[in-house]
Amino acid sequence: MQKVIVTGSGGMVGTYLIPLLNEKYDVHAFPHSDLDVTDVQKLTSAFEKIQPQIVVHLAAMTNVDLCEEQPQQAFFVNEQGTKNIAKCCRQHNCTLLYVSTGMVFDGNKTSAYEESDCVTRSVNIYGESKYKGEQAIQQLLQKFYIVRTTWLFGGGQRDKKFVAKMLQLGKKNDSLSVVDDTWGSPTYTKDLSAALETLCTKVPDYGIYHIANVGRCNRLQFAQKIFADAKMDCTTKGVRSASFPTKAPRPFNESITSTKLSAIHKMRTWQEALHEYVTTEF
Ligand SMILES: NC(=O)c1ccc[n+]([C@@H]2O[C@H](COP(=O)([O-])OP(=O)(O)OC[C@H]3O[C@@H](n4cnc5c(N)ncnc54)[C@H](OP(=O)(O)O)[C@@H]3O)[C@@H](O)[C@H]2O)c1
């Protein structure tokens, strides 16, 4: 049985992915408290002890506004931490699967980003630090999957992100203003995880993959679908993102399409995935 190391296993993606990997692999899942990717000594000894064939690198500083406030720490974890992992993978000749983000793009494209689109410059530190991680992997390794995903939802009762926030606000308000000028591809973490497991098992060509549920929408349309699925009577009004200023700027477009994945794995639409999430996990 192949051995897999998973970093950042205590996060949202890890929660869905690890049970899937457990069915086929000897999984060594490390939450932050057990393995810090900036600690080279601990990483080295974990790799030496386990001798993995595959590494799924999920660990990251993911709070976009905190990354803007603490850029040094963001680059230390997201760039240097990824470089540390890539070096260990090179030494042990294992395949690295790195989960990156649609925020590496500047967001100026008016349609969904494809794998062949050039990255110019992210609008924030989080996107920039994740892109530096991608570059380190490409420089150091040949056997890698860089998976860009975006607008993940999941976690059910533990969810603190957009879906859970809208459900909470929808309960307390008859009407809400929601941003209508930022676009993305909402993606169920359960579906992303199934696709990640496919990459590990089917071993398609190495390289960059965009993985998201099919389709794109703006935040207002996302919120409207959440309220419809939850059968909530909350009316919505579109507003510009400038009405909700954040520490870190957000790109206007984070939507991506999965052009390379379709040959080996089918993704459903974001509407189908969201319906399942809202009606089964809350
Ligand atoms: N969520 C999204 O919408 C989204 C979109 C695109 C890409 N991604 C990428 O997908 C991956 C997984 O994201 P997620 O949604 O599961 O995020 P998450 O829930 O924040 O999980 C990330 C995990 O990494 C851990 N971590 C932070 N610093 C670490 C370090 N120095 N060493 C080891 N572990 C560390 C965190 O632990 P603590 O919480 O204890 O610090 C957390 O458990 C990340 O690489 C993220 O960049 C996420």
Side-chain angles (χ1 to χ4, degrees), residues 263-282:
I264 52 159
H265 187 97
K266 191 173 165 0
M267 297 293 283
R268 56 184 161 172
T269 64
W270 69 267
Q271 291 96 331
E272 289 170 281
L274 181 62
H275 181 78
E276 180 185 320
Y277 179 55
V278 171
T279 56
T280 63
E281 291 212 42
F282 285 90

Side-chain angles (χ1 to χ4, degrees), residues 11-13 32 35-37 58 60 62 99-100 126 130 152 161:
M12 180 170 71
V13 176
H32 191 176
L35 187 65
D36 189 317
V37 294
L58 304 175
T62 58
V99 181
S100 188
Y126 170 71
K130 291 291 293 185
L152 288 182
K161 299 175 81 175

Side-chain angles (χ1 to χ4, degrees), residues 193-214:
S193 298
L196 295 177
E197 192 271 325
T198 299
L199 286 185
C200 292
T201 305
K202 292 202 175 159
V203 199
D205 288 348
Y206 297 116
I208 296 174
Y209 285 76
H210 286 185
I211 301 186
N213 282 124
V214 174

Side-chain angles (χ1 to χ4, degrees), residues 170 173-175 227 231-235:
N173 299 278
D174 295 331
S175 69
F227 295 138
K231 298 196 184 335
M232 279 181 172
D233 275 332
C234 181
T235 55

Side-chain angles (χ1 to χ4, degrees), residues 155-167:
Q157 296 306 321
R158 289 170 61 199
D159 189 351
K160 292 193 176 73
K161 299 175 81 175
F162 191 75
V163 176
K165 272 187 202 154
M166 287 300 126
L167 290 174

Side-chain angles (χ1 to χ4, degrees), residues 7 54-60 74 77-83 85-86 95-101 104 126-138 141 143-149 192 196 199 207-209 211:
T7 69
I54 303 171
V55 175
V56 181
H57 177 37
L58 304 175
V77 176
N78 297 348
E79 178 185 10
Q80 187 58 45
T82 303
K83 203 179 276 180
I85 293 281
T95 300
L96 175 58
L97 196 161
Y98 170 64
V99 181
S100 188
T101 168
V104 297
Y126 170 71
E128 190 64 22
S129 64
K130 291 291 293 185
Y131 184 56
K132 295 271 188 197
E134 290 189 9
Q135 288 179 309
I137 289 169
Q138 287 175 298
L141 296 175
K143 295 198 299 178
F144 66 82
Y145 297 108
I146 291 171
V147 172
R148 297 192 187 123
T149 189
L192 168 72
L196 295 177
L199 286 185
I208 296 174
Y209 285 76
I211 301 186

